[in-house]
Amino acid sequence: MSYAAAFVDLDGTVWRGRSAIPAANAGLRALRDAAVPIVFLTNNTGVRRDEVTSRLDAIGIDYEGEPVVTAAWATAAYLAEHRPDADVHVMGQDTVEAEIEDAGLTLSTEGRADVVVAGYDDRVDFARLTGTLRAFGPGTVFVATNRDRTTPEEDGPVPGANAFVSAIEGMVDQEPVVVGKPETRMADLAAAEVGADVHNCLMIGDNLETDVLMGERAGMDTALVCSGVSAREDVAASEIEPTYVVDDLGDVASLL
Amino acid sequence: MSYAAAFVDLDGTVWRGRSAIPAANAGLRALRDAAVPIVFLTNNTGVRRDEVTSRLDAIGIDYEGEPVVTAAWATAAYLAEHRPDADVHVMGQDTVEAEIEDAGLTLSTEGRADVVVAGYDDRVDFARLTGTLRAFGPGTVFVATNRDRTTPEEDGPVPGANAFVSAIEGMVDQEPVVVGKPETRMADLAAAEVGADVHNCLMIGDNLETDVLMGERAGMDTALVCSGVSAREDVAASEIEPTYVVDDLGDVASLL
């Protein structure tokens, strides 16, 4: 089958921690040989887009200038489109603050804000939670970069963005607008980056509940790679049905 | 009407911050004159029961040795009954840890635990959240002291227990057993303290969503006092229906 573009997840698909996944270059080469444009797509909010590309270089992944969509950048793009004049309070990584400032919005550091953005926050403490609670007033919009429950690290899981998003939800009883996977906003942004119709694109990722579910919701074909979070037995137990299940990104060649 | 006992909330009902609510002594006296046993009942987890009684003394509230039920003590009592041999990981105040140790259970400081207890945690940080996440294994029981969304302080609201409980729920996708108001476990414990049938007791408190809802769920008559969180207009807008609405604890005399 021929695809208008492939959206390729990073963690668990292209790299794992600080190492390249061995078959990743073969898969990316197959996509390029088949003239399928690539967009890299990650729920990570701790890296800028140029840091993603330097990291690809550093670990030996061939990078040929393809667009990168991070949840931090996507959140800023979402706000620039929907709330360009907003004061934005961030409970998240400083990268998120930087993306929001780069998108032309104003950061709010004290008192009420028009928008509260929440995500993975390694600086969390009682004072930051209090400041975030007090940023809410009537009409404040609540936006989450993503809702990943946990983040895998080498010595075990650490809290994911959802710990912080849920903490806020638990205080203010207000559901956030979610930008990252499995919501489809990132798929739309990725499609726009390469001028493709999202329905003709293929989503490739290692996580059933983020990558594959987003693809399913966006009406895309999906390929689950079993080099990260989700395994073949998870597919059998899940209601989320990838179009393809392959061992790793290298096997994407057989789908083109 | 004659009641077998009255359960009296503290914050917003008897005291506010560090000050006695002026009519509180009159209300307590009316209950004692009518021979209605009193139990003080609070979702606060930051004080031991003897600290509650010293604080009553310190601010000039007449205290005559009545039982005090705090959410911290109630949580320890719940665990001592249901999981007496459990290793317990606490994400909450040190008072909660002290109550749990006093109830004969073992505190777990690292790795997996049989029970995770969560509540208001002014020491929250990324490492504490990570330790709590890693305390969960197959079969770990999740217990919340209470789910108050926020805590009123003089300069504004601060996070309530639900911020921390929801953060954990957001990581592990497991609902907690809740001990504090509005769940009915504290009503049962309070009734047991004075040997009364809970259905014949009166719940008096300032918060529709905790005090009055607990009373409603426990099948009790309820009196909302308008000296704290909830006002008369909140009653009109709510589906929770107190049996009585009065200005403050002093007006309880008219209900006896």
Side-chain angles (χ1 to χ4, degrees):
Chain A
M1 161 120 200
S2 168
Y3 290 102
F7 305 160
V8 180
D9 171 57
L10 288 170
D11 197 32
T13 303
V14 167
W15 64 46
R16 200 158 39 214
R18 307 237 153 239
S19 314
I21 287 174
N25 272 330
L28 296 174
R29 196 179 320 120
L31 289 165
R32 292 180 188 120
D33 287 349
V36 176
I38 294 169
V39 183
F40 293 103
L41 206 68
T42 176
N43 266 1
N44 195 319
T45 61
V47 283
R48 305 295 297 264
R49 298 199 288 170
D50 57 356
E51 291 171 297
V52 169
T53 60
S54 335
R55 194 192 292 186
L56 288 170
D57 275 344
I59 62 173
I61 296 285
D62 302 327
Y63 173 68
E64 299 188 0
E66 291 94 349
V68 174
V69 173
T70 71
W73 176 81
T75 299
Y78 171 81
L79 292 175
E81 185 187 343
H82 291 91
R83 301 290 304 236
D85 301 320
D87 264 2
V88 184
H89 175 100
V90 175
M91 179 158 159
Q93 295 179 286
D94 51 11
T95 331
V96 177
E97 294 173 338
E99 293 285 4
I100 285 170
E101 283 197 300
D102 282 3
L105 293 107
T106 312
L107 291 179
S108 163
T109 52
E110 221 184 300
R112 288 197 177 169
D114 301 320
V115 175
V116 170
V117 168
Y120 178 92
D121 182 23
D122 45 8
R123 297 174 290 178
V124 65
D125 62 15
F126 195 83
R128 279 175 74 81
L129 281 168
T130 301
T132 302
L133 169 62
R134 294 181 183 181
F136 278 87
T140 296
V141 173
F142 180 22
V143 176
T145 59
N146 63 299
R147 300 200 75 154
D148 292 15
R149 291 188 183 279
T150 59
T151 304
E153 294 280 347
E154 272 164 41
D155 62 342
V158 300
N162 202 42
F164 313 98
V165 174
S166 298
I168 296 168
E169 211 175 11
M171 296 189 288
V172 302
D173 196 17
Q174 183 178 336
E175 264 191 48
V177 174
V178 182
V179 173
K181 303 177 276 186
E183 299 308 315
T184 58
R185 289 179 182 90
M186 275 175 61
D188 294 336
L189 282 165
E193 289 285 296
V194 288
D197 181 336
V198 71
H199 300 98
N200 300 330
C201 299
L202 173 68
M203 176 67 212
I204 308 169
D206 70 307
N207 191 322
L208 270 178
E209 294 183 355
T210 57
D211 301 312
V212 177
L213 183 55
M214 181 199 73
E216 196 172 289
R217 287 180 175 171
M220 303 169 64
D221 276 4
T222 58
L224 177 74
V225 294
C226 297
S227 51
V229 166
S230 304
R232 286 180 194 270
E233 53 266 34
D234 298 322
V235 179
S238 170
E239 293 187 356
I240 305 164
E241 291 181 28
T243 316
Y244 312 105
V245 181
V246 295
D247 287 340
D248 56 38
L249 191 57
D251 291 340
V252 82
S254 64
L255 314 179
L256 302 174
Chain B
M1 161 117 202
S2 168
Y3 290 101
F7 305 160
V8 180
D9 171 57
L10 289 169
D11 196 33
T13 303
V14 167
W15 65 47
R16 201 160 37 217
R18 308 237 152 239
S19 316
I21 287 175
N25 272 331
L28 297 173
R29 197 178 321 118
L31 289 166
R32 292 179 188 121
D33 288 350
V36 176
I38 294 168
V39 183
F40 293 104
L41 205 69
T42 176
N43 266 2
N44 195 317
T45 59
V47 283
R48 304 295 297 262
R49 299 199 287 171
D50 58 356
E51 291 171 297
V52 169
T53 60
S54 335
R55 194 192 294 184
L56 288 169
D57 275 343
I59 62 174
I61 296 286
D62 303 326
Y63 174 69
E64 299 188 359
E66 291 93 351
V68 175
V69 172
T70 70
W73 176 81
T75 300
Y78 172 81
L79 291 176
E81 186 189 341
H82 291 89
R83 300 291 303 236
D85 300 321
D87 264 2
V88 184
H89 175 100
V90 175
M91 179 157 159
Q93 294 178 286
D94 51 11
T95 330
V96 177
E97 293 173 338
E99 293 286 4
I100 285 170
E101 283 195 300
D102 282 3
L105 293 107
T106 312
L107 291 179
S108 162
T109 52
E110 222 185 298
R112 291 198 174 166
D114 302 320
V115 175
V116 170
V117 168
Y120 178 91
D121 182 23
D122 45 9
R123 298 175 290 178
V124 65
D125 62 15
F126 195 83
R128 279 175 73 82
L129 281 168
T130 302
T132 301
L133 169 62
R134 294 182 184 180
F136 279 87
T140 297
V141 173
F142 181 21
V143 176
T145 59
N146 64 301
R147 300 201 74 153
D148 291 14
R149 291 188 182 279
T150 59
T151 304
E153 295 281 347
E154 273 164 40
D155 61 343
V158 300
N162 202 41
F164 312 100
V165 174
S166 298
I168 296 168
E169 211 175 9
M171 296 190 287
V172 301
D173 196 18
Q174 182 177 336
E175 264 191 49
V177 174
V178 182
V179 173
K181 304 178 275 186
E183 299 306 316
T184 57
R185 290 179 181 89
M186 274 174 64
D188 294 335
L189 281 165
E193 290 284 295
V194 288
D197 181 336
V198 72
H199 300 98
N200 301 330
C201 299
L202 173 68
M203 177 66 213
I204 308 170
D206 70 308
N207 190 322
L208 270 178
E209 294 183 355
T210 55
D211 301 313
V212 177
L213 184 55
M214 181 200 73
E216 196 172 288
R217 287 179 175 172
M220 303 168 65
D221 276 4
T222 59
L224 177 75
V225 295
C226 298
S227 51
V229 167
S230 304
R232 286 180 195 271
E233 54 265 35
D234 298 323
V235 179
S238 170
E239 294 187 354
I240 305 164
E241 291 181 30
T243 317
Y244 313 104
V245 181
V246 295
D247 287 340
D248 56 37
L249 190 57
D251 290 342
V252 82
S254 65
L255 313 178
L256 303 174

